[in-house]
Amino acid sequence: MKLDIKPEVAEALKQGKAVVALESTIISHGMPYPQNVETAIAVEEIIRHAGAVPATIAILNGRCKVGLTHEEIEQLARAEGVIKTSRRDLPYVTASGRNGATTVAGTMIIANMAGIRVFVTGGIGGVHRGAEQTMDISADLSELARTEVAVVCAGAKSILDIGLTLEYLETQGVTVLGYKTDRFPAFYTRDSGFPVPYALHSAAEVAEVLAEKARLGLGGGTVIANPIPEEYALPESEIGAAIEAAIREANARGITGKEVTPFLLSRLGEITGGRSLEANIALVKHNARVGAEIALELANRIVPNPVERPLSQ
Ligand code: PSU
Ligand code: MN
């Protein structure tokens, strides 16, 4: 298998230590340069500082990388033609030897291959507004249904239909937990207007649910919804109007498929004069702290291994 696990990460996994996966679409398609590289490196530092080992996941020259060096992060951020890689894209990217930035779905798949159970990101993809017509439903959701990795995020952006996203997750049997909140957060804001099924109050409680999910052999992932810190949250009126404008523009330009999310993210950055980017960076860092704590708690529990860990190539 074209899987390269960075020695530091392989060693931590072998010893049953806490490892936290990180995605790379957020680097290549989610944030502008150089904030993308600065954030990716800062987030790794936060995880290390908390006592866990970070593993940023991407595909470089057709090989699935679990753990990138700072040079590799820089390379990915600067390279032209990096493919946004979700489940359907993976075999093409590895077969052709291209560079791929993994989405939540792509990162979950490779994290699971390596035996990593906790993954930190900003926001997950979801059911897009108007999906009744367009069928635009992120492959992140079907991945959460099948792959046993816990995803710490700040909910889903209201560029999506959050009500339908939660319905879809329920149908697919994805466990959704609110971290110190009983409201599902909407990325830039702390309350999407929808409740979470369960509010948990500590990393230990979350880890216990993850461990139990593994013991029950249920398979499939978990969403841990961690709201943006109050001081970084954007006013609903400001971000709501910016999202409406960005979606209208995407529709007018006929943007579809995998281009939709990156287009909306970059337009939102422009419309809010960089405030959405600041919020994005703050919430990812906060998620990193919480994700590391959960991974540390999980490492203290006896959890059956759902996959054979292919630690050798
Ligand atoms: N939402 C964000 N920032 C992101 C993404 C989503 O707030 O960077 C990225 C993630 O990698 C996610 C992907 O997995 O977009 C979803 O894309 P799509 O909707 O095309 O499945
Ligand atoms: Mn889509």
Side-chain angles (χ1 to χ4, degrees):
M1 198 187 318
K2 295 176 177 171
L3 183 67
D4 297 332
I5 303 177
K6 199 177 166 191
E8 179 196 12
V9 176
E11 188 55 32
L13 287 169
K14 209 167 92 189
Q15 294 181 16
K17 291 197 175 147
V19 177
V20 176
L22 297 159
E23 67 153 304
S24 45
T25 293
I26 193 171
I27 302 175
S28 64
H29 295 70
M31 285 185 192
Y33 185 86
Q35 287 93 338
N36 54 358
V37 173
E38 288 162 13
T39 305
I41 290 172
V43 161
E44 288 207 346
E45 281 317 309
I46 289 169
I47 290 169
R48 246 193 211 107
H49 191 74
V53 174
T56 301
I57 290 179
I59 301 163
L60 294 180
N61 303 316
R63 296 196 62 90
C64 300
K65 296 280 179 188
V66 179
L68 299 184
T69 63
H70 289 187
E71 293 68 36
E72 286 169 333
I73 289 175
E74 182 79 28
Q75 183 190 333
L76 189 78
R78 286 170 173 272
E80 298 281 319
V82 175
I83 298 178
K84 179 179 162 187
T85 307
S86 193
R87 174 173 280 270
R88 61 122 194 230
D89 311 288
L90 249 174
Y92 169 77
V93 176
T94 54
S96 61
R98 302 267 308 258
N99 293 323
T102 48
T103 62
V104 168
T107 306
M108 288 178 75
I109 293 168
I110 297 172
N112 187 52
M113 286 175 184
I116 302 174
R117 297 166 182 281
V118 178
F119 160 29
V120 162
T121 187
I124 54 169
V127 179
H128 280 259
R129 297 191 198 176
E132 312 86 278
Q133 293 294 321
T134 62
M135 301 275 284
D136 190 351
I137 299 174
S138 174
D140 291 354
L141 300 186
S142 37
E143 204 56 50
L144 279 160
R146 69 198 286 180
T147 302
E148 194 165 352
V149 172
V151 182
V152 181
C153 64
K157 281 205 174 66
S158 43
I159 57 173
L160 303 168
D161 187 320
I162 293 182
L164 291 187
T165 300
L166 289 168
E167 289 291 348
Y168 192 95
L169 290 169
E170 178 183 356
T171 303
Q172 297 293 324
V174 177
T175 305
V176 175
L177 306 174
Y179 187 75
K180 298 184 179 171
T181 182
D182 56 4
R183 311 299 294 169
F184 191 76
F187 202 84
Y188 301 117
T189 55
R190 292 173 57 85
D191 182 359
S192 63
F194 294 89
V196 286
Y198 304 105
L200 301 190
H201 305 288
S202 68
E205 276 182 36
V206 173
E208 192 46 40
V209 174
L210 299 179
E212 198 60 19
K213 183 155 176 151
R215 293 180 197 120
L216 289 166
L218 294 176
T222 299
V223 173
I224 299 153
N226 180 39
I228 183 170
E230 191 86 58
E231 61 270 34
Y232 295 103
L234 298 183
E236 172 59 48
S237 53
E238 178 188 350
I239 195 66
I243 286 171
E244 298 283 348
I247 292 178
R248 268 198 308 277
E249 197 174 325
N251 290 339
R253 291 202 195 183
I255 290 167
T256 57
K258 70 197 285 189
E259 317 300 338
V260 172
T261 302
F263 175 83
L264 293 176
L265 295 182
S266 97
R267 274 306 282 142
L268 279 182
E270 290 163 11
I271 297 170
T272 63
R275 278 164 53 84
S276 67
L277 179 60
E278 253 174 62
N280 198 342
I281 292 169
L283 66 84
V284 176
K285 289 180 177 174
H286 185 222
N287 290 345
R289 265 175 231 119
V290 170
E293 274 183 52
I294 293 168
L296 285 160
E297 285 288 345
L298 194 59
N300 287 334
R301 286 168 169 74
I302 296 166
V303 183
N305 195 354
V307 289
E308 196 192 331
R309 294 178 181 178
L311 285 180
S312 60
Q313 291 92 321

